[in-house]
Amino acid sequence: MSEPVPQVEEIILNKEHIGLGFNIRGGLDNLHIGTDPGIFVTTIKPGLAAAQDGRLNPGDKILEINGQDLRNVTHQTAVLHFHDSGNVVTLLVEKGAEDRIKRRMIVRTSDLVKEVPYAGPPSPTPPDQVEEWEWSKVLLGVGVAGVLTAIATVATVLYIRRRH
């Protein structure tokens, strides 16, 4: 199954008298999701420009503001671009980017698991009297399981740390 093509949309907001009305997170110095340094919309404030327009959503990634590229900037640089943007703001937005990135982060075990014949439980016979091929199959089976367990543990810890 191929990954969906990101939808990019230009959104023009007029913040005069009311403000843009959304919060952002992310940047090179403040990663919001995974290792992506992008600037992401986290909340939309009711009654302000973004809410009135209705096209910007939490999880959207701001690629540009008034032609200024935000793909690889610090959080503070992005904030400065928003403050200096004027009353009419043109945003280039990748719709639903946060969800797409999260789906890519999921470890697909089917891609990692290789079928290995199982030789049965370890024999009570001392290792030097057991045929070499049996032990290598048992160790390979444990190795794959160990690697998958370690990957799952690290992914879980990183996910939990990002969420808190």
Side-chain angles (χ1 to χ4, degrees):
M1 183 164 77
S2 64
E3 190 169 319
V5 177
Q7 179 187 352
V8 176
E9 183 175 353
E10 183 178 87
I11 299 174
I12 300 173
L13 301 175
N14 186 343
K15 69 177 183 178
E16 188 173 8
H17 307 298
I18 60 172
L20 288 173
F22 62 91
N23 292 345
I24 59 170
R25 286 191 67 190
L28 288 169
D29 57 338
N30 184 27
L31 300 177
H32 173 61
I33 179 88
T35 58
D36 192 300
I39 303 298
F40 294 87
V41 176
T42 56
T43 56
I44 304 292
K45 298 176 183 176
L48 301 179
Q52 289 177 0
D53 178 86
R55 292 180 290 167
L56 195 63
N57 296 297
D60 289 350
K61 181 178 177 180
I62 309 291
L63 304 175
E64 295 179 6
I65 179 168
N66 294 340
Q68 296 293 313
D69 194 339
L70 299 182
R71 289 173 184 92
N72 287 298
V73 299
T74 65
H75 183 80
Q76 186 61 36
T77 299
V79 169
L80 290 173
H81 283 302
F82 279 97
H83 283 291
D84 295 341
S85 62
N87 286 332
V88 177
V89 177
T90 302
L91 302 174
L92 189 63
V93 176
E94 181 181 337
K95 303 295 291 171
E98 186 171 333
D99 287 339
R100 218 172 357 275
I101 292 166
K102 285 179 182 176
R103 282 193 301 274
R104 278 197 317 249
M105 291 172 58
I106 296 172
V107 176
R108 292 178 180 92
T109 57
S110 62
D111 294 341
L112 299 175
V113 176
K114 181 178 178 184
E115 190 172 325
V116 177
Y118 178 60
S123 170
T125 309
D128 60 329
Q129 295 178 11
V130 175
E131 290 181 24
E132 189 66 32
W133 66 270
E134 285 185 37
W135 281 104
S136 66
K137 289 179 182 177
V138 170
L139 292 176
L140 181 58
V142 170
V144 170
V147 167
L148 289 176
T149 300
I151 290 171
T153 302
V154 168
T156 301
V157 168
L158 291 175
Y159 178 75
I160 289 170
R161 292 177 96 188
R162 279 276 162 225
R163 299 286 292 173
H164 294 287

